[in-house]
Amino acid sequence: MNQNKLFNQTRWQLAISYAAVMGLILSLLGFGVYKAIAHAHWVAIDRELESVAGTLHDSLELKLQQPGRLEPIVNELLPNLRLMGVKGITEQLPSRHILSAINQGYYYIRLFDYSGKLIATAGDYPEELPAGFNSQYWQTITDTKGNVYHQISVALHTQTQQDWGYFQVGRSLQDFNDYLSTVKWVLKLGLPTALILIGFASWLLAGLAMKPIYSSYRQIQQFTADAAHELRTPLAASQATVESALLTPQLDEKEAREILRTIDRQNRRLTQLVADLLLLARMDNQAIRDRPQLCCLNDLVSDLVEELAALAIASKVALTSEVRVQQQLNVVGNSDQLYRLVANLIVNAIQYTPAGGKVTVILDCSHIEAIVQVQDTGMGIAAADLERIFDRFYRVNSDRSRHTGGSGLGLAIAQTIARAHRGTLSARSELGCGSTFFLRLPL
């Protein structure tokens, strides 16, 4: 197949199309996965910030007594509390649950009075953050070094519900960005690797998809060549006969009749060949359209044995039948086509059986199907030829087939008719020991 330019080009186009579609799907899937991971982590960060801010906010409001003033007891809640303008670090209390998130190292807290003046900071507070206050609930800010932070701002009140100021809890997004960067690298490296594997798999799959098409193409090529050869032979013979007659100055009546007989014989051969080809074409393109009818195989076999007895006698072959069932075997189908099927098998057996041989037609059945066997004591079929005997125009012995007028379509027609009737046609043979053809039709 790779030697054929058309099929090779088509295979490349299929492989590229498969790879492009799968690449697009994977790209969209990767983008969706990245967005889903980023959103899930962002929601987790928001929830974590809200939880920490809510816990600390409720704890602080229980201890605040005057607006803008921090009570000493606040030191127990917030680690590393720094008052603006006052040096000193309070002792951390890691045993408190509300401090666990802040102690992780990337949280910070800022306390503002009601006018927006920074009063104190706690936690891992970055000095590069903007000093201005923004009361917006959620904020994402960037310091002077380009580091990104996410924070939440909540209003604080005293124990008497007076406005105290504002409370901000924020955290660095460095770990979040690092994680997303890792995901990006995994996708950037994984997608090209996946595309390479997809491209290789697409090439293989395109080859598998093209195999039956290429096989059909080869069969059509072979069929066209064989049909042209079969048609050329009688045409060439007729042309040679006509040219020979034209070169003869005078033809007597006997010579003219002989020439006409030759042309008539070749024309009959052409007519039969064309009829066989038309029959195969019709049966390939459509099912049996005739009204289904019951066909008695017992009558069919006995009629054929009786009609073909003359041909068997002329070939010096004994033709007999053997019915192994007591009841009538009826199948649904086209009686004319079934007649031709079995006739082709019997005629084929007679032609390939030498003088003094025997052809036996056996009618039998199983529980669900009728079985017609055509046995001969002919030359047999080699194992290599047995696989191709049902191919169109294939002959085991071309010289003998041409001598008997065969075109190599008899078994192909028989096989097509059997399939059209939901049956099977098979052969068993051994070289030098004869052949047996098995026709199985559903009862």
Side-chain angles (χ1 to χ4, degrees):
M1 184 170 64
N2 291 332
Q3 308 300 324
N4 188 293
K5 184 178 180 180
L6 175 62
F7 279 87
N8 195 39
Q9 182 180 358
T10 305
R11 184 179 183 182
W12 273 111
Q13 291 175 349
L14 280 175
I16 292 173
S17 299
Y18 291 159
V21 171
M22 289 302 299
L24 179 61
I25 293 174
L26 283 179
S27 298
L28 293 176
L29 182 62
F31 180 77
V33 169
Y34 175 79
K35 287 296 183 182
I37 291 174
H39 177 73
H41 278 71
W42 190 261
V43 170
I45 288 174
D46 283 353
R47 289 177 179 174
E48 192 175 294
L49 275 173
E50 281 185 322
S51 175
V52 172
T55 303
L56 289 175
H57 173 269
D58 294 343
S59 300
L60 283 172
E61 285 195 337
L62 294 176
K63 297 174 173 56
L64 297 177
Q65 298 178 2
Q66 297 181 11
R69 178 182 174 184
L70 287 174
E71 307 301 329
I73 196 172
V74 173
N75 291 338
E76 298 179 7
L77 296 175
L78 304 176
N80 299 333
L81 181 66
R82 294 185 179 88
L83 297 175
M84 299 308 297
V86 179
K87 296 181 179 180
I89 301 176
T90 61
E91 182 181 1
Q92 294 186 9
L93 301 175
S95 61
R96 298 294 295 271
H97 176 73
I98 58 175
L99 303 180
S100 60
I102 300 176
N103 287 333
Q104 291 177 9
Y106 43 81
Y107 276 86
Y108 64 86
I109 296 172
R110 296 197 292 185
L111 296 169
F112 296 87
D113 61 17
Y114 199 72
S115 63
K117 180 183 177 182
L118 182 62
I119 296 177
T121 63
D124 189 19
Y125 176 70
E127 300 293 340
E128 296 81 6
L129 281 179
F133 172 73
N134 188 338
S135 61
Q136 186 177 355
Y137 189 67
W138 285 110
Q139 302 168 56
T140 301
I141 56 179
T142 305
D143 63 13
T144 56
K145 294 183 178 179
N147 298 317
V148 183
Y149 300 85
H150 192 52
Q151 64 184 25
I152 183 173
S153 301
V154 185
L156 277 174
H157 302 86
T158 64
Q159 294 175 351
T160 58
Q161 297 302 312
Q162 293 178 299
D163 292 333
W164 186 94
Y166 297 94
F167 170 71
Q168 283 185 345
V169 177
R171 61 160 289 170
S172 170
L173 295 181
Q174 184 63 42
D175 60 326
F176 175 73
N177 291 332
D178 290 343
Y179 180 78
L180 290 186
S181 296
T182 303
V183 173
K184 285 181 182 178
W185 274 109
V186 170
L187 292 176
K188 287 179 180 179
L189 294 176
L191 184 59
T193 304
L195 286 177
I196 293 173
L197 295 176
I198 288 173
F200 180 71
S202 298
W203 172 256
L204 296 179
L205 290 176
L208 292 176
M210 294 293 293
K211 272 187 176 180
I213 301 175
Y214 183 72
S215 177
S216 299
Y217 170 76
R218 292 289 298 170
Q219 288 179 359
I220 292 173
Q221 272 191 327
Q222 185 65 39
F223 174 78
T224 304
D226 292 340
H229 181 73
E230 291 297 329
L231 291 170
R232 184 180 61 182
T233 302
L235 288 173
S238 297
Q239 182 67 25
T241 303
V242 171
E243 289 178 354
S244 177
L246 291 175
L247 293 174
T248 304
Q250 291 183 349
L251 290 174
D252 56 22
E253 183 180 353
K254 183 178 180 181
E255 291 176 335
R257 286 184 176 277
E258 187 64 30
I259 291 172
L260 290 176
R261 288 193 191 95
T262 302
I263 295 175
D264 178 66
R265 186 169 57 253
Q266 299 301 331
N267 284 341
R268 289 177 182 275
R269 183 178 178 185
L270 278 173
T271 302
Q272 184 62 43
L273 179 60
V274 171
D276 290 344
L277 291 175
L278 286 175
L279 174 63
L280 286 171
R282 289 195 207 99
M283 299 191 71
D284 283 342
N285 294 330
Q286 61 187 16
I288 302 173
R289 292 192 175 181
D290 296 337
R291 180 177 298 176
Q293 55 188 349
L294 282 179
C295 303
C296 180
L297 294 181
N298 305 66
D299 296 339
L300 186 145
V301 168
S302 61
D303 290 346
L304 277 172
V305 170
E306 182 179 347
E307 291 178 16
L308 296 175
L311 177 62
I313 292 172
S315 301
K316 299 180 180 180
V317 173
L319 176 61
T320 59
S321 64
E322 180 182 340
V323 180
R324 297 178 179 177
V325 291
Q326 300 298 326
Q327 73 276 19
Q328 297 288 323
L329 296 182
N330 295 316
V331 297
V332 177
N334 185 302
S335 58
D336 292 336
Q337 291 183 1
L338 291 174
Y339 184 92
R340 181 165 187 181
L341 190 165
V342 181
N344 282 357
L345 295 180
I346 297 174
V347 170
N348 190 72
I350 293 173
Q351 290 178 347
Y352 282 88
T353 300
K358 182 179 180 181
V359 174
T360 306
V361 183
I362 302 173
L363 181 62
D364 201 352
C365 73
S366 65
H367 296 292
I368 58 174
E369 60 186 7
I371 304 173
V372 178
Q373 299 180 41
V374 180
Q375 296 179 350
D376 65 63
T377 57
M379 61 187 69
I381 304 171
D385 294 321
L386 196 60
E387 300 177 357
R388 300 189 57 193
I389 57 175
F390 296 108
D391 293 348
R392 297 171 186 183
F393 296 111
Y394 185 80
R395 300 184 183 87
V396 176
N397 190 328
S398 299
D399 294 336
R400 184 176 179 84
S401 297
R402 296 189 188 279
H403 177 71
T404 57
S407 63
L409 292 177
L411 290 179
I413 291 174
Q415 180 73 282
T416 304
I417 295 174
R419 289 174 178 172
H421 286 77
R422 296 179 293 114
T424 60
L425 180 60
S426 59
R428 185 176 61 197
S429 180
E430 186 176 347
L431 200 60
C433 298
S435 306
T436 303
F437 285 82
F438 297 88
L439 171 62
R440 292 178 171 85
L441 295 171
L443 289 171

